[in-house]
């Protein structure tokens, strides 16, 4: 049996850019994310294993944007803050093949189908391909096989 607990506090503060990316709301001004995953895993001597992880996530995002409802021109820049906290449950079960030939497992991410608002790290990327966030906003099933030869 293995138990793990992590506390991850991630803070992002954008600086004002000459291109106006923060002021236009393209890049958030600040993002603070606290995540606390608590997991327990069991490994059977005959090859079976199972795991359960509960993750608490609290995120606050502050962006800037133009107040288009203002009668003045140019419209004033205002700050908008969004906050969401949620709990996720991930479970998995699998079998370790004999003679270290690999393993096969079935996992469910967000098993309770929790709906949440989460800003992933895409705004930090400079690639054309978007980053995949660590949390799934819908229940997701997947099968994984690792074969060693």
């Amino acid at each position: 049996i293995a138990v793990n607990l992590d506390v991850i506090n991630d803070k992002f503060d954008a600086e004002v850019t000459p291109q106006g990316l923060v002021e236009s709301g393209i890049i958030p001004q600040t993002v603070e994310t606290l995540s606390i995953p608590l997991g327990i895993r069991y490994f059977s001597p005959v090859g079976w294993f199972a795991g359960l992880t509960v993750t608490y996530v609290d995120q606050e995002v502050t962006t800037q944007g133009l107040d288009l409802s203002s009668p003045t021109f140019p419209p004033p820049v205002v700050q908008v803050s969004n906050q969401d906290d949620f709990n996720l449950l991930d479970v998995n079960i699998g079998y370790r093949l004999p003679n270290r030939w690999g393993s096969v497992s079935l996992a469910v991410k967000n098993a309770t189908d929790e709906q949440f608002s989460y800003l992933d790290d895409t705004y930090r990327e400079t690639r054309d391909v978007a980053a995949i966030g660590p949390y799934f906003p819908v229940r997701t099933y997947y099968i994984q096989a690792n074969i060693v030869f």
Side-chain angles (χ1 to χ4, degrees):
I1 295 179
V3 177
N4 68 297
L5 172 68
D6 293 319
V7 177
I8 305 157
N9 192 21
D10 181 27
K11 293 183 180 182
F12 171 82
D13 290 316
E15 296 185 17
V16 177
T17 62
Q19 298 86 1
L21 297 175
V22 174
E23 295 79 3
S24 65
I26 294 173
I27 294 178
Q29 184 177 7
T30 62
V31 178
E32 185 169 356
T33 307
L34 171 68
S35 59
I36 306 173
L38 171 63
I40 184 165
R41 295 178 292 166
Y42 169 74
F43 301 93
S44 165
V46 295
W48 291 100
F49 59 89
L52 178 113
T53 302
V54 176
T55 305
Y56 170 76
V57 180
D58 183 13
Q59 185 180 64
E60 184 169 352
V61 179
T62 304
T63 57
Q64 289 188 359
L66 299 175
D67 183 4
L68 299 177
S69 65
S70 174
T72 63
F73 185 81
V77 175
V78 295
Q79 286 188 342
V80 178
S81 183
N82 295 316
Q83 188 273 337
D84 194 6
D85 64 326
F86 52 92
N87 294 297
L88 295 176
L89 175 66
D90 300 334
V91 295
N92 73 331
I93 187 168
Y95 181 71
R96 187 181 67 243
L97 301 174
N99 300 322
R100 298 185 183 214
W101 281 87
S103 64
V104 177
S105 64
L106 168 68
V108 181
K109 296 282 194 182
N110 191 3
T112 59
D113 203 19
E114 179 78 21
Q115 303 299 310
F116 56 87
S117 174
Y118 177 79
L119 180 63
D120 62 15
D121 286 344
T122 305
Y123 60 91
R124 293 181 180 180
E125 298 288 328
T126 57
R127 308 179 284 169
D128 290 335
V129 179
I132 296 175
Y135 310 114
F136 292 75
V138 295
R139 183 181 302 125
T140 305
Y141 302 90
Y142 66 94
I143 296 173
Q144 182 175 355
N146 297 313
I147 307 297
V148 179
F149 53 93

